[in-house]
């Protein structure tokens, strides 16, 4: 049966093959979904199913001098990378501590002065010889070793939007540009469980240890996400 094609389709026919590929087949094209949806909508009602992702997750936790990205800075970064099923790709992970002068550390809030002093982070920061540029370059190189294609892996962590605000500033901006714009925030699953989870689920959620060291905190976040994955996303 002959089906009359919509006018919008005929306008696209003169495109070269390379242009068609760029328009519809390049998932990294920033207008991929918009153009595809507009084209498909010309054929009437349609549904684009949610596709399962096998892309890795880049888990990052930072310890900072405070929570204001305009005035505070990163002291410590730890990164682990998992596959889509939360299996560690490298059990050692990545960690770096950035040097700061004593005057900067002494000007932190009382909470930061007490916490970072108690965990030993303050002493480690003073002893470090790593500057922010070197830390950012090393972190990006580590991520690219396991995530060779840009804008595929999601940034993940607990309240990771806060870490993202610091990583959005130089010299760490290149790290975010390598990752997908979406994030996987474990805190969102925690808050969903608090509102809609059963009493048994609430009792079994792994408790926070409140260590406030980047390595321990990010491993704890991965373990918490494994809990939600097993309890909330069973086949």
């Amino acid at each position: 049966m002959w089906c009359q094609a919509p006018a919008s389709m005929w306008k696209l026919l003169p495109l070269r093959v390379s242009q068609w590929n760029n328009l519809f087949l390049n998932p990294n094209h920033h207008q991929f979904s918009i153009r595809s949806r507009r084209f498909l909508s010309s054929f009437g009602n349609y549904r684009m199913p949610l596709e399962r992702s096998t892309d890795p997750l880049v888990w990052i936790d930072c310890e900072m001098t405070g929570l204001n990205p305009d005035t505070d800075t990163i002291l410590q970064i730890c990164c682990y990378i998992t596959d889509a099923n939360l299996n560690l790709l490298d059990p050692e992970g990545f960690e770096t501590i950035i040097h700061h002068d004593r005057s900067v550390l002494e000007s932190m809030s009382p909470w930061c002065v007490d916490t970072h002093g108690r965990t030993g982070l303050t002493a480690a920061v003073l002893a470090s010889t790593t500057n922010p540029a070197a830390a950012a370059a090393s972190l990006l190189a580590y991520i690219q070793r396991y995530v060779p294609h840009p804008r595929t892996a999601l940034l993940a962590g607990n309240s990771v939007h806060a870490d993202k605000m610091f990583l959005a500033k130089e010299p760490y901006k290149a790290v975010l540009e390598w990752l997908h714009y979406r994030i996987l925030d474990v805190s969102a699953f925690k808050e969903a469980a608090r509102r809609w989870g059963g009493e048994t689920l609430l009792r079994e959620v792994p408790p926070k240890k409140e260590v406030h060291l980047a390595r321990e905190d990010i491993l704890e976040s991965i373990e918490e996400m494994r809990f939600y994955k097993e309890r909330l996303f069973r086949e």
Side-chain angles (χ1 to χ4, degrees):
M1 179 182 294
W2 171 256
C3 178
Q4 184 176 1
S8 58
M9 179 179 177
W10 297 115
K11 293 179 181 179
L12 293 173
L13 289 180
L15 293 177
R16 296 190 302 272
V17 172
S18 61
Q19 291 175 305
W20 276 90
N21 288 342
N22 190 49
L23 190 64
F24 294 106
L25 303 181
N26 181 4
N28 291 324
H29 196 289
H30 71 284
Q31 289 188 329
F32 170 74
S33 61
I34 297 175
R35 293 182 176 182
S36 298
R37 290 174 190 273
R38 286 176 179 171
F39 174 73
L40 292 174
S41 65
S42 64
F43 290 93
N45 294 331
Y46 72 98
R47 177 179 178 273
M48 294 189 69
L50 189 64
E51 296 182 357
R52 186 174 302 280
S53 173
T54 58
D55 293 323
L57 297 167
V58 176
W59 297 81
I60 291 180
D61 187 83
C62 303
E63 294 296 328
M64 292 84 74
T65 58
L67 296 178
N68 187 340
D70 293 327
T71 57
D72 293 307
T73 53
I74 297 175
L75 299 173
Q76 180 189 32
I77 306 172
C78 186
C79 174
Y80 280 91
I81 300 176
T82 69
D83 62 16
N85 288 315
L86 303 179
N87 300 303
L88 291 175
L89 301 186
D90 172 25
E92 298 300 320
F94 168 91
E95 182 180 6
T96 187
I97 295 176
I98 299 96
H99 176 79
H100 285 64
D101 292 335
R102 185 178 297 275
S103 60
V104 174
L105 301 177
E106 290 176 347
S107 65
M108 296 187 298
S109 69
W111 186 94
C112 288
V113 170
D114 176 69
T115 302
H116 297 330
R118 175 170 43 81
T119 62
L121 181 57
T122 297
V125 167
L126 291 171
S128 174
T129 59
T130 302
N131 61 39
S138 297
L139 175 60
L140 179 58
Y142 178 79
I143 293 172
Q144 290 175 333
R145 190 188 314 167
Y146 297 96
V147 185
H149 303 294
R151 296 177 296 281
T152 55
L154 272 63
L155 176 65
N158 244 312
S159 297
V160 74
H161 64 278
D163 303 271
K164 185 176 182 179
M165 289 191 297
F166 281 83
L167 295 172
K169 301 177 71 68
E170 295 292 356
Y172 304 101
K173 188 176 180 180
V175 173
L176 279 190
E177 291 175 345
W178 191 259
L179 302 178
H180 197 278
Y181 69 90
R182 289 178 176 170
I183 63 174
L184 189 148
D185 198 327
V186 182
S187 300
F189 292 88
K190 184 196 305 289
E191 291 301 324
R194 291 178 61 203
R195 286 159 176 79
W196 308 308
E199 293 301 320
T200 301
L201 176 70
L202 295 179
R203 286 194 300 268
E204 295 178 355
V205 171
K208 296 282 288 182
K209 298 177 182 177
E210 304 292 347
V211 176
H212 297 296
L213 284 173
R215 183 179 296 275
E216 287 79 357
D217 288 356
I218 200 62
L219 287 173
E220 185 178 77
S221 296
I222 296 172
E223 192 60 35
E224 185 179 359
M225 192 66 250
R226 286 175 179 150
F227 170 81
Y228 294 127
K229 174 179 176 291
E230 294 301 320
R231 295 299 302 272
L232 302 178
F233 297 98
R234 295 173 178 171
E235 288 290 343

